[in-house]
Amino acid sequence: MYAFEIERPETIAEALALLSEEGGQALGGGQTLIPTLKQRLAMPETLVSLTAIGEMQGVCMSDAGEVCIGGATSHAVVAREAADSFPALAAMAGHIGDPAVRNRGTIGGSLANNDPSACYPAAALGAGATIKTNTRDIPADAYFIGMFETALNEGEIITEVRFPVPRRASYQKFVQPASRFALVGVFVAQFDDGVRVAVTGASENGVFRWSEAEEALNSDFSAAALEPLSVSADQMIGDLHGSAEYRAHLVKVMAKRAVEAA
Ligand SMILES: Cc1cc2nc3c(=O)[nH]c(=O)nc-3n(C[C@H](O)[C@H](O)[C@H](O)COP(=O)(O)OP(=O)(O)OC[C@H]3O[C@@H](n4cnc5c(N)ncnc54)[C@H](O)[C@@H]3O)c2cc1C
């Protein structure tokens, strides 16, 4: 590890002031960033930890009935505090990695990183969440650009994420046993105005909505409605853990399980 400074501001305003200085980078739970620094794939001069900022912590309900999660809230807190208001989201957070990862990793870090196998991108896109930053509100449909790529600008931080609460929902992941990330994960949510289906772990372009499944489930919310569908292996991830064809097959399997569980 190289030498760097670390700051722990207690307000968003202080964090933004520190991040506006040359060489500063936001630090969430450090579960991705710290290993990156150890390998010297990134070498920021100052890490600005967001985890001591009270206004970016915890889970609450908005007046509009959305579940609001502070951008520096750990997965373990979401698993605990969203259990009554949005059980599918809480269950998703409660199955991320292992206890150490869940106690350190944050929702903001996960969504900013946008790992193609991460669970939160599927939940945010599947529930049609709004990603709130220090400058704007970004709908999930406009937020995920590609693998490790988002709509965030340099120095912009995720302060809160707002999730509309569906009538019913479930996230099902086929676990990659070495990392606990999703080999394929599918989040299905049924709202009064329609069904959303988001898939992580599968595509070379990162998380995506499976629109054919949404259409089928809008007519008939049952696993049987997905049976006639198939997913193309084109642009699916193929690696030592699973071929592109295997992942394409798993998308339908996990979607059916999510519908049944919802
Ligand atoms: C062994 C292991 C297993 C894991 N398993 C899973 C899994 O099953 N499912 C899953 O979804 N994830 C998994 N993860 C990922 C983990 O849960 C974290 O979500 C992820 O590492 C990033 O979150 P973090 O808070 O640690 O961010 P950091 O590592 O601190 O930061 C990551 C990036 O986000 C930026 N950043 C951090 N916070 C913010 C913010 N609020 N606004 C803007 N930018 C920000 C940082 O500058 C950095 O670029 C796993 C990680 C490990 C190490």
Side-chain angles (χ1 to χ4, degrees), residues 170-251:
S170 175
Y171 175 66
Q172 296 290 316
K173 80 169 161 178
F174 194 90
V175 175
Q176 201 276 78
S179 72
R180 311 261 174 167
F181 274 92
L183 194 63
V184 167
V186 178
F187 196 97
V188 172
Q190 185 185 45
F191 293 90
D192 290 345
D193 61 355
V195 177
R196 295 175 67 102
V197 178
V199 180
T200 188
S203 170
E204 287 175 351
N205 301 314
V207 66
F208 68 94
R209 279 175 71 183
W210 185 15
S211 47
E212 291 87 354
E214 292 178 353
E215 219 171 284
L217 293 171
N218 275 328
S219 312
D220 171 15
F221 192 82
S222 73
L226 299 178
E227 198 45 57
L229 305 185
S230 61
V231 178
S232 165
D234 285 354
Q235 299 201 315
M236 289 285 157
I237 299 168
D239 58 21
L240 79 168
H241 305 297
S243 65
E245 290 73 19
Y246 184 56
R247 279 188 167 84
H249 169 75
L250 276 181
V251 172

Side-chain angles (χ1 to χ4, degrees), residues 11 42 141-142 154 175 260:
T11 66
D141 283 322
E154 189 76 23
V175 175
E260 276 163 4

Side-chain angles (χ1 to χ4, degrees), residues 25-26 28-33 75 97 106 112 119 158 173 179-181:
Q25 184 167 355
Q31 297 301 293
T32 296
L33 187 52
H75 311 324
T106 65
C119 305
I158 298 172
K173 80 169 161 178
S179 72
R180 311 261 174 167
F181 274 92

Side-chain angles (χ1 to χ4, degrees), residues 13-211:
E14 282 173 55
L16 293 172
L18 289 162
L19 286 168
S20 69
E21 289 169 19
E22 183 84 25
Q25 184 167 355
L27 176 70
Q31 297 301 293
T32 296
L33 187 52
I34 297 297
T36 309
L37 304 191
K38 282 184 182 163
Q39 293 173 313
R40 303 194 182 206
L41 295 172
M43 292 182 69
E45 288 162 30
T46 307
L47 293 183
V48 181
S49 169
L50 305 176
T51 54
I53 301 175
E55 55 196 310
M56 285 178 61
Q57 287 290 346
V59 178
C60 65
M61 287 302 282
S62 74
D63 292 342
E66 299 155 311
V67 172
C68 308
I69 303 178
T73 308
S74 71
H75 311 324
V77 168
V78 175
R80 210 166 46 239
E81 294 188 6
D84 293 334
S85 52
F86 195 159
L89 182 67
M92 180 282 300
H95 288 91
I96 288 177
D98 52 40
V101 170
R102 291 196 288 277
N103 279 301
R104 297 297 309 171
T106 65
I107 185 170
S110 178
L111 292 176
N113 197 44
N114 192 20
D115 188 297
S117 301
C119 305
Y120 260 117
L125 189 61
T130 300
I131 290 93
K132 294 177 83 70
T133 76
N134 53 303
T135 58
R136 58 191 168 136
D137 290 358
I138 313 174
D141 283 322
Y143 176 82
F144 299 101
I145 307 292
M147 201 183 260
F148 296 110
E149 212 187 328
T150 71
L152 289 178
N153 294 320
E154 189 76 23
E156 191 174 7
I157 60 169
I158 298 172
T159 54
E160 188 182 85
V161 186
R162 292 195 169 207
F163 290 85
V165 180
R167 245 193 263 160
R168 49 184 168 170
S170 175
Y171 175 66
Q172 296 290 316
K173 80 169 161 178
F174 194 90
V175 175
Q176 201 276 78
S179 72
R180 311 261 174 167
F181 274 92
L183 194 63
V184 167
V186 178
F187 196 97
V188 172
Q190 185 185 45
F191 293 90
D192 290 345
D193 61 355
V195 177
R196 295 175 67 102
V197 178
V199 180
T200 188
S203 170
E204 287 175 351
N205 301 314
V207 66
F208 68 94
R209 279 175 71 183
W210 185 15
S211 47

